[in-house]
């Protein structure tokens, strides 16, 4: 074969290599690669990234030297008809044992140093967050503040956060690529991980994942991390500590109530509102939320595209169009529809279930069901109607009238019609 035609055959491979190298070289903006580990935003992420850089450099040097030596030998002896066989060369053998040993020392020292750094106990004043894995969603508790959320984590920038990781069922793994490192959630054991989000990144959103296969809906076990300023965090905590807005609503004096009215926390105030609730209006029933100022939460309209779930509405769950929900009726349906057996709404002593996510401030959340869907009316209504079609294998049962439950393989035993579901949606949307 002539040299030029051989080169022509090689061309596509060369072009492909060049393209791959160009793609690899692009460590663009966060918005372009929101889940990249190459732009760490914490000291933990940087420690790992720096170690990776050292290892890549050492590996590249070894690779280049070995390939050069190989090419040299191939070229130099290209005309040899027969190889010369030798046996035993102590000097050479010592040399090729020593060289890898020295290389391994160069790799081991920074590696072990990084392991000690990242496994050290967290600083004492770190913010503590308990992470509890469930099939297939995340529970986050802030013991310092008595706050519980699901699938959404708020972290103040510049303060070290120390996570304690446990699981309710199978093994899961906690990972926020930009914050660095994964760590498993294992039964009968508590694992720890800690890091400090950079001050420059507030306020912003990051994606989190489960990275240990944990069953049918493992791929839908995600979460969002909001890195916010310390002031925003304080406000968020104050809002989340308050009991549910809807229950506290009636305690506030009628519509003239000032916005700064503090949420009422007395258990006596948790009964359904005593004053009459007007018929549902086109604008919803905003009067019920009057008087309770929710704390800070990341504005829904500011969610970057990469943090908004892109899954379409399942086509096989229909929902009557144009229904207007009534939150007071919704609250009753929430209690009678079995929801309270699995969900907590603080401020409502009847709703104290712990099998599903805490819904006390559900309306402040941006996603549904382990980050699977955006938290909007359309998705929420279908979620309540048939969670098991929305999310395969979900522990939350199928509850809509006439809906087929793919886990029980029969029609939903408890059933809510579309109007009742619309009412529950209106109720949940008051929980800020
Ligand atoms: C048998 C327990 C059970 C019952 C009953 C139940 N749920 Fe759930 N619910 C769950 C579980 C478990 C999840 C988490 C599912 C997941 O993400 O995989 C969930 C998730 C949700 C979510 C999403 C929360 C979030 O932050 O992602 C909403 C909203 C919800 N349920 C509302 C309801 C309503 C309304 C009812 C009653 C009509 C109800 N649930 C009845 C167990 C239950
Ligand atoms: Cu998992």
């Amino acid at each position: 074969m002539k040299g030029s035609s051989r080169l022509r055959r090689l061309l596509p491979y060369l072009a492909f290599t060049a393209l791959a190298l160009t793609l690899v070289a692009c460590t663009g903006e966060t918005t372009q690669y929101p889940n990249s580990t190459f732009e760490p935003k914490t000291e933990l992420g940087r420690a790992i990234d720096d170690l990776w850089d050292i290892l890549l450099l050492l590996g590249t040097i070894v690779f280049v030297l070995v390939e050069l030596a190989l090419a040299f030998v191939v070229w130099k002896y290209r005309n040899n008809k027969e190889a010369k066989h030798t046996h035993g060369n102590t000097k050479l053998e010592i040399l090729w044992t020593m060289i890898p040993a020295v290389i391994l020392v160069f790799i081991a020292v920074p590696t072990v140093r990084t392991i000690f750094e990242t496994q050290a106990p967290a600083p004492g004043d770190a913010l503590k967050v308990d992470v509890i894995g469930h099939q297939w969603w995340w529970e986050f508790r802030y013991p310092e503040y008595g706050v519980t959320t699901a699938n959404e984590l708020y972290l103040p920038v510049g303060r070290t956060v120390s996570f304690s990781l446990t699981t309710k069922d199978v093994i899961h793994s906690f990972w926020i690529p930009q914050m660095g490192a994964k760590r498993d959630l294992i039964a009968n054991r508590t694992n720890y991980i800690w890091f400090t989000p950079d001050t420059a990144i507030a306020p912003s959103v990051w994606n989190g994942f489960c990275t240990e296969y944990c069953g049918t809906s493992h791929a839908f076990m995600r979460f969002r991390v909001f890195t916010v300023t310390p002031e925003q965090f304080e406000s968020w905590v104050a809002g989340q500590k308050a009991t549910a807005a809807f229950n506290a609503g009636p305690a506030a004096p009628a519509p003239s109530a000032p916005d700064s009215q503090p949420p009422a926390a007395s258990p006596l105030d948790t009964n359904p509102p005593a004053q009459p609730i007007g018929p549902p209006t086109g604008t919803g029933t905003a009067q019920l939320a009057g008087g309770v100022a929710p704390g800070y939460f990341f504005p829904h309209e500011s969610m970057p595209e990469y943090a908004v779930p892109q899954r379409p509405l399942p086509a096989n769950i229909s929902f009557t169009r144009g229904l207007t929900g009534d939150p007071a009726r919704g609250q009753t349906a929430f209690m009678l529809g079995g929801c309270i057996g699995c969900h907590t709404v603080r401020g409502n002593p009847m709703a104290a279930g712990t099998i599903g996510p805490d819904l006390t401030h559900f309306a402040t959340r941006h996603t549904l069901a382990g980050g699977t869907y955006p938290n909007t009316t359309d998705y929420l209504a279908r979620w309540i109607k048939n969670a098991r079609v929305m999310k395969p294998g979900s522990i939350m049962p199928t509850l809509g009238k006439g809906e087929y439950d793919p886990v029980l393989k029969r029609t939903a035993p408890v059933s809510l019609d579309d109007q009742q579901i619309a009412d529950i949606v209106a109720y949940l949307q008051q929980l800020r």
Side-chain angles (χ1 to χ4, degrees):
M1 195 188 296
K2 285 222 275 342
S4 69
S5 77
R6 196 181 296 170
L7 192 69
R8 211 171 302 140
R9 273 179 45 187
L10 271 176
L11 259 177
Y13 297 98
L14 289 176
F16 177 78
T17 314
L19 183 72
L21 284 176
T22 328
L23 287 178
V24 169
C26 294
T27 43
E29 287 289 296
T30 296
T31 46
Q32 228 176 328
Y33 301 104
N35 305 328
S36 165
T37 50
F38 292 112
E39 288 162 43
K41 300 287 188 276
T42 65
E43 80 283 47
L44 172 63
R46 267 188 297 278
I48 296 167
D49 195 49
D50 290 349
L51 180 61
W52 152 256
D53 286 347
I54 296 171
L55 297 190
L56 181 67
L57 178 69
L58 293 177
T60 308
I61 293 171
V62 170
F63 174 78
V64 170
L65 291 180
V66 169
E67 292 308 306
L68 282 178
L70 181 68
F72 171 75
V73 170
V74 167
W75 179 78
K76 178 148 197 244
Y77 299 105
R78 64 193 181 285
N79 291 328
N80 270 25
K81 294 281 174 298
E82 210 175 313
K84 198 175 94 200
H85 296 274
T86 61
H87 183 77
N89 185 331
T90 317
K91 251 192 229 155
L92 208 59
E93 280 168 21
I94 290 178
L95 196 69
W96 73 47
T97 310
M98 289 307 291
I99 292 176
V102 171
I103 293 174
L104 285 182
V105 169
F106 275 94
I107 292 176
V109 169
T111 305
V112 172
R113 198 173 47 215
T114 307
I115 291 175
F116 275 96
E117 258 171 41
T118 57
Q119 300 286 326
D125 58 348
L127 169 69
K128 291 195 174 45
V129 177
D130 297 339
V131 177
I132 303 157
H134 298 258
Q135 278 175 320
W136 293 277
W137 59 282
W138 298 88
E139 181 176 350
F140 299 118
R141 291 195 193 152
Y142 296 72
E144 207 172 306
Y145 302 109
V147 165
T148 302
T149 70
N151 308 320
E152 298 206 349
L153 193 54
Y154 279 73
L155 301 177
V157 293
R159 181 170 175 196
T160 303
V161 52
S162 171
F163 298 95
S164 310
L165 312 162
T166 55
T167 173
K168 265 273 144 64
D169 35 57
V170 300
I171 301 177
H172 303 277
S173 186
F174 178 80
W175 189 37
I176 312 158
Q178 306 257 10
M179 307 279 137
K182 303 173 180 178
R183 202 132 301 165
D184 281 5
L185 287 68
I186 299 173
N188 296 324
R189 186 193 154 89
T190 305
N191 276 347
Y192 298 92
I193 190 170
W194 59 269
F195 55 69
T196 316
D198 292 349
T199 44
I201 59 177
S204 48
V205 192
W206 313 96
N207 289 323
F209 305 86
C210 177
T211 54
E212 179 72 51
Y213 180 71
C214 57
T216 315
S217 274
H218 162 67
F220 306 125
M221 183 169 168
R222 305 185 191 175
F223 58 102
R224 301 287 181 273
V225 182
F226 300 91
T227 44
V228 298
T229 64
E231 297 74 36
Q232 288 166 338
F233 182 73
E234 285 307 316
S235 163
W236 177 78
V237 165
Q240 298 285 312
K241 266 165 93 167
T243 48
F246 186 75
N247 289 290
S256 60
D259 274 346
S260 57
Q261 185 77 19
S266 153
L268 290 175
D269 294 331
T270 56
N271 293 320
Q275 76 253 52
I277 290 159
T281 62
T283 54
T285 40
Q287 74 268 25
L288 290 166
V292 182
Y296 169 86
F297 55 91
F298 195 85
H300 286 282
E301 61 282 3
S302 308
M303 280 292 270
E305 205 186 326
Y306 64 79
V308 178
Q310 302 294 328
R311 270 175 80 74
L313 272 178
N316 50 349
I317 310 175
S318 62
F319 198 82
T320 317
R321 284 175 167 275
L323 292 178
T324 308
D326 172 50
R329 276 202 317 255
Q331 188 184 39
T332 311
F334 186 80
M335 304 222 259
L336 301 179
C339 319
I340 54 175
C342 294
H343 293 288
T344 294
V345 176
R346 266 185 305 111
N348 179 346
M350 300 269 285
T354 55
I355 294 169
D358 187 309
L359 299 178
T360 309
H361 296 284
F362 175 70
T364 67
R365 299 214 276 265
H366 304 77
T367 63
L368 268 186
T372 310
Y373 296 101
N375 184 5
T376 63
T377 308
D378 283 345
Y379 285 98
L380 183 54
R382 282 164 182 82
W383 172 256
I384 298 169
K385 193 162 182 176
N386 202 337
R388 286 176 173 172
V389 165
M390 295 284 275
K391 187 167 176 177
S394 174
I395 312 293
M396 168 135 163
T398 293
L399 295 166
K401 195 169 242 163
E403 289 291 306
Y404 182 76
D405 181 331
V407 173
L408 296 180
K409 299 204 181 343
R410 63 185 174 99
T411 313
V414 185
S415 54
L416 300 165
D417 62 30
D418 285 2
Q419 181 59 55
Q420 284 171 308
I421 292 175
D423 292 343
I424 294 177
V425 168
Y427 165 63
L428 291 176
Q429 288 176 340
Q430 298 288 330
L431 300 180
R432 262 166 300 182

